[in-house]
Amino acid sequence: MGDYKTTWREKIRYGIGAIGLDLSYGLFYSYLSYYLSSVLGLKEGFLLLLTPLARIWDGINDPIMGTIVDSTKTKMGKYRPWILIGAISNAVVLTLLFTSFGMSGTKLYIYIGVMYILWGMTNTMADIPYWSMVPSFTTDPKDRNLVATVARTFSGLGQGIITVLTPLILPRLSSGMTTDKGYSAGGFSKWALICAIALVFFALMCVLNTKERHVVYNKNKEKFSLKKMFSVIAHNDQLVVFIIFAMVSNAGWYLTSGTAVYYFTDVLEQPEAQSLFSVIGAIGSILGLLVIPVLSKWWSKRKIYHFSLILTIAGYILMTLFGPILKITIALDLSYILASIGIGSMFVAQTVFLADIVDYGEYKTGKRNESITFSMKGFLQKLAYTVQTIILFGGLNIMGYNEQITANSINEQTKTTIGIICFAVPAVLVTLSLIIFSLKFKLYGDLLDKVHDYIVNKRSEEE
């Protein structure tokens, strides 16, 4: 078989599917917290309880979905049916999650709790099969890097649309009861519906214009079992290490993306200024996508990943200095370029690492479990969001944020806390992630070469 090379047309057709997925993803992770706490007025304690409970279920649900995908074999293929089913389901739930139907009190809390969990389940239905396709395109390491880079580019575009346009569009869609910054529940509902329609459109474009290649089907047609699920995870030591260091670094990024709306709206009282901040971050992210393709000519993936995290940490240190300490907004925005370059490169590298980890699992056990392994990507992101929620809402709860919002007066101590959570805490988390990665991740050098040679030879024999 050899190392098949994908065409740029194939890469782009695959990548556009990530735009819609990340419209939903970005709206959920960057704006749901603000919508629930500042627009609907839900108590911080409710979200502190709901998020960990949802993660307990995700810990079972995500690998179950991965196993289901691994066992799927249809005329459309292994992955594409689930991408479409998941995208349509997630689009419906996203709209409902940001639509309260005028409910209040206990009914609203129950409704939000149910929709919150359903969003995670339906997102998993689309996200796992989408990213699980990466190893199936090619076994060539450099081409695989490009496939992941293109997909991450479109993924960043989806999130960029959310972070840049939401502060501008929401006030224009809002009417009736609005916050003092011009946001309303109705505005969020309309914006969620627009994103949901786009999600389905881009998923359709991806599914109808891609062809699954060299897919490894589950020949034994093993049924799902929790024992098998935990066995796959337990027998892949590098997957466990990956979950830990990626979860910690992602939590740092989510703190910034989720807290930025509080910082610009409540601290600076300039909600539309968040758009410029996000544009600058998007520019940095685009530059970050070029880091691996450019530096891979001279550096290994491991060295590039070290560089990405160090650049991110430097950016966060500068943002802490120019944000909550010196309050120089222009310098804060410019510092964000460094952090976002590092983050953009980090996310691409993590996707590539997962593809290598799939191969490593087959090298160790003789069995290939792509979707179960890639389900850990979605699960670790949700774990990261849980860490974000605990830190953010724990801090806001201690500072009495909900009462201050009700009184329409945020005190200076709370504003400083929001700034520290947004910029200083992420620097600590990314530093911790760098340490864990450096000490525990061993999938590089001679070991990675052995894994790659094993996979290529095995595929040739199967031909």
Side-chain angles (χ1 to χ4, degrees):
M1 179 187 73
D3 285 350
Y4 171 81
K5 298 286 186 68
T6 58
T7 65
W8 275 103
R9 178 176 293 184
E10 287 177 289
K11 292 179 178 74
I12 292 171
R13 285 176 171 178
Y14 169 67
I16 59 174
I19 298 177
L21 290 175
D22 278 83
L23 287 175
S24 175
Y25 180 87
L27 194 58
F28 183 92
Y29 285 107
S30 295
Y31 282 93
L32 181 64
S33 295
Y34 187 82
Y35 167 72
L36 296 179
S37 63
S38 298
V39 178
L40 296 187
L42 272 59
K43 299 293 184 181
E44 297 95 338
F46 168 71
L47 295 172
L48 282 171
L49 176 64
L50 174 62
T51 306
L53 288 177
R55 294 301 82 80
I56 293 173
W57 168 239
D58 287 334
I60 299 174
N61 175 65
D62 286 15
I64 288 177
M65 190 64 222
T67 305
I68 292 172
V69 173
D70 271 334
S71 302
T72 296
K73 186 174 183 180
T74 71
K75 291 182 179 180
M76 282 183 65
K78 180 176 180 178
Y79 307 107
R80 292 181 299 160
W82 287 112
I83 293 174
L84 189 56
I85 293 170
I88 293 172
S89 301
N90 192 237
V92 172
V93 175
L94 178 71
T95 305
L96 293 175
L97 179 60
F98 282 91
T99 306
S100 63
F101 299 105
M103 286 186 283
S104 61
T106 303
K107 286 184 179 180
L108 179 60
Y109 280 94
I110 294 174
Y111 174 79
I112 291 297
V114 171
M115 289 301 128
Y116 185 98
I117 292 173
L118 286 177
W119 184 91
M121 293 177 66
T122 54
N123 174 259
T124 293
M125 289 172 65
D127 190 70
I128 288 176
Y130 180 81
W131 292 105
S132 295
M133 286 181 71
V134 172
S136 70
F137 281 108
T138 176
T139 57
D140 181 81
K142 291 184 178 179
D143 196 41
R144 183 181 281 181
N145 288 354
L146 283 176
V147 172
T149 299
V150 170
R152 274 296 174 188
T153 301
F154 284 104
S155 171
L157 176 60
Q159 291 193 46
I161 289 171
I162 291 296
T163 55
V164 173
L165 295 186
T166 300
L168 301 176
I169 289 178
L170 266 182
R172 290 161 177 78
L173 294 177
S174 297
S175 59
M177 294 289 291
T178 64
T179 66
D180 62 319
K181 305 302 184 298
Y183 296 165
S184 75
F188 270 103
S189 180
K190 294 171 187 174
W191 183 223
L193 176 60
I194 293 170
C195 293
I197 293 171
L199 165 58
V200 175
F201 172 77
F202 286 114
L204 271 171
M205 292 300 98
C206 174
V207 168
L208 296 177
N209 292 289
T210 54
K211 181 180 180 181
E212 297 182 15
R213 294 181 178 274
H214 312 293
V215 177
V216 179
Y217 289 103
N218 184 350
K219 296 179 181 179
N220 297 324
K221 295 184 179 180
E222 297 177 87
K223 294 182 179 179
F224 170 79
S225 70
L226 286 174
K227 183 178 179 181
K228 178 192 174 185
M229 177 187 79
F230 288 119
S231 176
V232 170
I233 298 170
H235 286 85
N236 195 327
D237 56 293
Q238 294 304 287
L239 175 59
V240 176
V241 173
F242 172 84
I243 291 171
I244 296 171
F245 76 72
M247 182 271 291
V248 174
S249 60
N250 288 10
W253 168 247
Y254 293 157
L255 270 174
T256 302
S257 61
T259 311
V261 62
Y262 292 89
Y263 185 79
F264 285 94
T265 303
D266 296 325
V267 178
L268 299 184
E269 298 184 354
Q270 300 172 22
E272 293 196 356
Q274 186 182 350
S275 290
L276 177 59
F277 179 78
S278 298
V279 167
I280 291 174
I283 293 171
S285 296
I286 292 171
L287 294 174
L289 296 170
L290 301 175
V291 168
I292 291 180
V294 172
L295 294 184
S296 60
K297 297 177 182 177
W298 303 284
W299 290 356
S300 66
K301 283 183 289 188
R302 183 179 179 83
K303 191 170 184 179
I304 294 172
Y305 195 68
H306 277 128
F307 170 77
S308 300
L309 294 189
I310 292 170
L311 195 64
T312 302
I313 294 165
Y316 270 119
I317 291 173
L318 289 175
M319 285 195 290
T320 303
L321 175 65
F322 294 122
I325 297 177
L326 298 179
K327 296 181 174 60
I328 305 175
T329 305
I330 295 177
L332 167 69
D333 289 346
L334 294 176
S335 301
Y336 191 35
I337 291 180
L338 290 180
S340 55
I341 289 174
I343 290 293
S345 175
M346 179 192 81
F347 278 135
V348 174
Q350 287 177 359
T351 303
V352 174
F353 285 150
L354 263 181
D356 292 338
I357 290 169
V358 170
D359 291 344
Y360 175 73
E362 185 174 3
Y363 169 79
K364 280 195 69 179
T365 67
K367 295 182 179 180
R368 191 170 184 85
N369 296 282
E370 289 171 334
S371 296
I372 290 180
T373 303
F374 269 85
S375 73
M376 292 298 102
K377 173 182 170 293
F379 181 56
L380 74 87
Q381 289 173 330
K382 292 170 185 174
L383 283 176
Y385 179 67
T386 301
V387 173
Q388 178 231 52
T389 301
I390 292 172
I391 295 174
L392 174 58
F393 284 105
L396 293 180
N397 189 45
I398 292 172
M399 302 310 298
Y401 174 82
N402 200 266
E403 290 77 12
Q404 293 174 46
I405 280 290
T406 303
N408 197 25
S409 177
I410 307 295
N411 63 44
E412 288 302 317
Q413 192 174 11
T414 299
K415 291 181 179 180
T416 299
T417 300
I418 290 173
I420 290 172
I421 292 173
C422 193
F423 305 117
V425 176
V428 175
L429 292 175
V430 177
T431 300
L432 178 59
S433 176
L434 174 61
I435 294 171
I436 296 170
F437 171 79
S438 300
L439 295 178
K440 296 297 182 180
F441 195 67
K442 306 298 182 184
L443 200 49
Y444 63 95
D446 291 341
L447 176 57
L448 187 59
D449 290 338
K450 287 180 181 179
V451 171
H452 175 254
D453 292 342
Y454 169 83
I455 294 298
V456 171
N457 292 333
K458 186 175 180 181
R459 294 293 173 271
S460 297
E461 291 173 2
E462 290 172 349
E463 287 284 310

